[in-house]
Amino acid sequence: MCGIIGYVGDQSALDVALGGLRRLEYRGYDSSGVAVVGAGALRTVRRAGKLANLEKLLSEGPERDPMPGTTGMGHTRWATHGGPTDQNAHPHTDCTGAIAVIHNGIIENFAALRAELEGIGHELTSETDTEVVAHLLEVELGNAAAAQAGAVPEDVAPGGPAASGAAGVPVAQHPLTAALRRVCRRLEGAFTLVVLHRDFPEVVLGARRNSPLVVGIGQGETFLASDVSAFIAHTREAMEIGQDQIVEARRDGVTVTDFAGEIVEGRRYHVDWDASAAEKGGYPYFMLKEINEQPTALADTLRGRLSADGAIVLDEERLSAQDFRDVDKVFIVACGTAYHAGLIAKYAVEHWTRLPCEVEMASEFRYRDPVLDRSTLVIAISQSGETLDTLMAVKHAREQKARVLAICNTNGSTIPRESDAVLYTRCGPEVGVASTKTFLGQVAACLLVGLYLAQVRGVLYGDEVAAYVERLQRMPDLVGRTLHRLEPIRELARGLADAKAVLFLGRHVGYPVALEGALKLKELAYMHAEGFPAGELKHGPIALIEPGLPVIVVVPSPRGRAHLHGKVVSNIQEVRARGARTIVIAEDGDVAVEPYADHLIRVPATSSLFAPLVTTLPLQVFACELALARGLDVDQPRNLAKSVTVE
Ligand code: F6R
């Protein structure tokens, strides 16, 4: 939510910022802006609407003068405070125009801070919470300058060189860093901030609390960004920035301190994918590319998960086998599509481990005061690793002493860092706002966690676990084969572009698949879409059925629990009897559904718990194709952002 890039080096900061914003635009696309320090000036340009509007302004409008300078930053916004106007677009500046700030998150106490600033004569020109930071910095730098005439304030060595020192040692730092530290201590809420100053072209600063910030370390250049995709074209060497920390980036490196001013060590890591992974690769939309990448994403997630002695391998495990054996209940917390992956996991976890497993929307979790203790395992699922609702649920769980295992697609992100164990979905970058390949990765990862629990608790024998993993590792091939036979659903979707609503039905693991199909259609095609448990329909929602209403039914395997299949077939008949147009997703060889399917979409047969890995695919393709037929942008649906870093 909001994309941020900061740069200091030898290249044109404007070019680097715009290049980074093109890769970050999926995070928010209400408005964008850039700021560059050079030739003794700070220039900012910002524009409402998509990045293309800003680029047009920079190339054709009155702002087309070159913006010289090799220190700069860029921002692409998902509006929280104040609408998506030019005035509210970032960067925001102070009264003197010397300081520029970009921000991701929400500063919860901004109203009080704004009143205080206005009370001492500052003029704020936007409706944003961000602008207060620029003015608070102005105040702090003014105070420091005044104090310099007398005593040196607390943690400032004005104009001094960038600090160096050992971890844990308080050091004197750049005056802008010291001022930012004092400002950050006053802020409540969630923020990533990047700050530039006209008089300090040698530094660009970043600060973070509950919001993402990574550093890219190049040769004679340094980047700050919301995620590595912003600088991956320049460097694959990255550094994590921890909670409540400030990074002072210079050409020759960085100094990281906490909000108390002590030096801390950032964890460095190598990004194991390159710029081409975050490009469209010949597809018109990222979403189409990512749908087709699912066999590889799934295979990569599953690769190497079984050790030579037959044990399942997680990525980072800060818990002992005994901790897992002590688990007596499991909670899964997640949002949106990740929540649907969690709903699927529940069936597998309970079936394999015989532990009770509850699935909770992360945004609701801590408010209902769940019963958690040392023997509770909380599984947090998040593609981005930054979703604030999920992060807050993780923190709440840990405060209650529960163990937390993260399933995440983004190395170095906050949720894995805050957790006791991690299993990464190795799906590569997902740029399309609607999750597709990472959903499959999440389902597979959840199944692995279920097997892992069953293994350490001794509920399944080693050879049983190995047999499941081997079957799971055959799924990428089945996913690939399913993707090759989805032309009928594409054609059907194009024909339904004018439909008013679509209902989705499923039972058992088919129910979360139905929910996921409905979510995809809502967010991409802006259509009314609902997913229901097929059996629940007759308790009310069946009143929605009217002649011609498309109803998509996800049918369980007839080779699974026989009564489950039979009941869904009856449910298809019930809606058809009331005039619905039935679109039936059923496995090869399931002849029982044929008389009741107005449209029959075949998928390969697989075992019940693995079925969502194939039954979801036609629903993704359906939503994508229908949205395209409506002329919509499937990569950047309205009002959405890829990474939701506000609660
Ligand atoms: C829908 C979608 C969202 C995300 C949700 C959680 O297609 O992508 O519903 O699943 O915002 O995001 P992560 O997984 O990053 O925590």
Side-chain angles (χ1 to χ4, degrees):
M1 197 152 271
C2 295
I4 283 183
I5 174 150
Y7 176 73
V8 54
D10 294 324
Q11 303 188 56
S12 152
L14 179 64
D15 290 349
V16 173
L18 288 175
L21 291 184
R22 273 177 221 121
R23 292 188 189 280
L24 289 174
E25 202 184 7
Y26 69 94
R27 298 181 70 93
Y29 30 84
D30 291 341
S31 58
S32 53
V34 286
V36 173
V37 178
L42 168 77
R43 266 189 71 195
T44 62
V45 180
R46 51 208 181 132
R47 193 56 142 192
K50 291 201 172 181
L51 180 61
N53 293 7
L54 177 74
E55 291 180 307
K56 193 158 184 277
L57 184 68
L58 285 164
S59 61
E60 295 171 13
E63 305 289 349
R64 70 181 176 282
D65 301 344
M67 292 174 80
T70 58
T71 305
M73 62 192 189
H75 185 267
T76 177
R77 179 169 186 244
W78 187 86
T80 57
H81 291 67
T85 61
D86 288 353
Q87 205 60 27
N88 290 331
H90 300 210
H92 291 282
T93 49
D94 66 322
C95 296
T96 68
I99 303 165
V101 175
I102 54 178
H103 167 220
N104 172 26
I106 290 181
I107 295 165
E108 286 166 1
N109 58 336
F110 90 99
L113 295 170
R114 184 178 179 122
E116 177 188 315
L117 287 161
E118 286 174 339
I120 54 170
H122 285 257
E123 199 181 324
L124 282 83
T125 56
S126 76
E127 302 159 291
T128 66
D129 50 342
T130 308
E131 197 182 355
V132 298
V133 177
H135 291 265
L136 287 171
L137 281 167
E138 181 189 351
V139 172
E140 288 296 343
L141 284 168
N143 290 346
Q148 198 185 350
V152 175
E154 191 199 345
D155 51 359
V156 187
S164 59
V169 179
V171 289
Q173 284 215 309
H174 198 285
L176 191 58
T177 310
L180 180 59
R181 179 176 305 123
R182 287 196 295 273
V183 170
C184 287
R185 286 187 203 138
R186 299 199 59 198
L187 304 180
E188 290 166 18
F191 51 85
T192 300
L193 297 164
V194 175
V195 176
L196 289 183
H197 194 295
R198 180 192 60 206
D199 302 336
F200 304 123
E202 70 279 11
V203 289
V204 52
L205 305 187
R208 74 168 286 261
R209 169 181 291 164
N210 290 334
S211 195
L213 176 64
V214 285
V215 179
I217 299 175
Q219 298 289 333
E221 57 185 359
T222 308
F223 306 79
L224 303 178
S226 312
D227 69 55
V228 295
S229 65
F231 55 72
I232 194 75
H234 304 278
T235 179
R236 290 166 69 179
E237 299 311 310
M239 181 192 275
E240 291 174 5
I241 298 298
Q243 178 74 335
D244 284 4
Q245 290 179 359
I246 292 185
V247 52
E248 185 182 291
R250 306 172 304 275
R251 278 183 173 71
D252 61 352
V254 297
T255 305
V256 186
T257 48
D258 61 21
F259 286 178
E262 295 205 340
I263 293 267
V264 284
E265 293 289 342
R267 187 184 78 89
R268 287 183 69 150
Y269 61 101
H270 180 75
V271 182
D272 57 8
W273 47 271
D274 63 15
S276 63
E279 279 161 9
K280 286 186 192 154
Y283 287 89
Y285 289 97
F286 280 107
M287 185 175 179
L288 292 170
K289 175 182 172 236
E290 287 158 6
I291 286 175
N292 282 305
E293 281 174 347
Q294 293 185 104
T296 317
L298 190 58
D300 288 347
T301 300
L302 293 168
R303 185 162 298 123
R305 293 301 182 189
L306 208 55
S307 72
D309 55 1
I312 292 197
V313 182
L314 303 182
D315 291 305
E316 290 167 28
E317 222 176 309
R318 297 176 279 269
L319 291 177
S320 66
Q322 189 56 46
D323 290 329
F324 282 105
R325 274 194 283 278
D326 289 344
V327 168
D328 64 11
K329 63 176 172 297
V330 178
F331 279 96
I332 300 178
V333 291
C335 303
T337 289
Y339 168 74
H340 297 155
L343 288 175
I344 292 168
K346 175 184 167 74
Y347 294 90
V349 169
E350 291 191 334
H351 182 65
W352 285 332
T353 68
R354 308 314 297 151
L355 287 168
C357 175
E358 286 188 48
V359 191
E360 188 89 20
M361 284 180 187
S363 55
E364 287 296 318
F365 183 64
R366 63 188 168 135
Y367 302 111
R368 74 169 180 83
D369 205 5
V371 182
L372 305 168
D373 57 34
R374 209 169 275 285
S375 51
T376 310
L377 177 69
V378 173
I379 303 174
I381 311 174
S382 174
Q383 181 283 128
S384 60
E386 300 293 350
T387 299
L388 198 54
D389 288 316
T390 311
L391 177 61
M392 289 306 171
V394 165
K395 288 190 171 183
H396 180 77
R398 293 200 72 197
E399 275 158 25
Q400 308 294 311
K401 309 281 181 259
R403 320 290 189 179
V404 179
L405 185 152
I407 291 177
C408 184
N409 196 47
T410 312
N411 202 315
S413 58
T414 311
I415 290 171
R417 261 188 285 151
E418 296 280 332
S419 303
D420 299 300
V422 186
L423 197 151
Y424 283 108
T425 53
R426 305 185 198 120
C427 300
E430 188 177 67
V431 180
V433 162
S435 289
T436 50
K437 62 176 178 174
T438 57
F439 175 71
L440 254 62
Q442 287 163 352
V443 171
C446 286
L447 294 172
L448 287 170
V449 170
L451 290 171
Y452 179 82
L453 274 173
Q455 169 190 282
V456 290
R457 296 170 57 77
V459 192
L460 289 180
Y461 293 118
D463 56 345
E464 291 174 301
V465 170
Y468 275 119
V469 174
E470 276 154 24
R471 272 166 52 203
L472 204 46
Q473 283 169 334
R474 288 200 290 273
M475 289 306 292
D477 178 51
L478 218 55
V479 168
R481 282 194 272 140
T482 311
L483 287 171
H484 279 112
R485 51 196 277 195
L486 293 181
E487 193 46 41
I489 194 107
R490 269 191 205 99
E491 201 182 313
L492 182 63
R494 290 192 283 268
L496 288 173
D498 294 327
K500 295 274 173 299
V502 179
L503 299 188
F504 294 76
L505 307 181
R507 268 182 199 255
H508 191 250
V509 289
Y511 165 50
V513 172
L515 291 177
E516 176 58 8
L519 176 61
K520 285 282 141 326
L521 196 60
K522 279 181 235 191
E523 66 180 328
L524 295 171
Y526 317 153
M527 269 172 89
H528 178 232
E530 296 290 341
F532 295 107
E536 184 63 16
L537 203 70
K538 57 190 172 299
H539 300 289
I542 200 162
L544 292 169
I545 306 288
E546 52 186 41
L549 179 80
V551 177
I552 300 187
V553 189
V554 182
V555 182
S557 169
R559 299 167 302 111
R561 290 182 187 160
H563 57 283
L564 198 66
H565 177 264
K567 294 221 162 79
V568 175
V569 175
S570 303
N571 299 139
I572 303 173
Q573 294 175 62
E574 286 157 17
V575 294
R576 199 158 184 263
R578 288 159 179 85
R581 180 172 171 184
T582 56
I583 301 162
V584 174
I585 317 281
E587 73 172 40
D588 290 332
D590 180 354
V591 288
V593 294
E594 284 173 3
Y596 317 111
D598 294 314
H599 307 272
L600 186 52
I601 306 296
R602 290 291 189 186
V603 290
T606 182
S607 61
S608 298
L609 289 171
F610 297 176
L613 296 171
V614 292
T615 51
T616 308
L617 306 176
L619 306 190
Q620 295 171 339
V621 167
F622 179 78
C624 183
E625 199 66 33
L626 200 149
L628 291 174
R630 289 182 158 213
L632 300 171
D633 179 345
V634 293
D635 282 346
Q636 297 181 346
R638 70 183 179 202
N639 303 337
L640 293 174
K642 184 73 182 161
S643 175
V644 184
T645 51
V646 293
E647 278 182 277

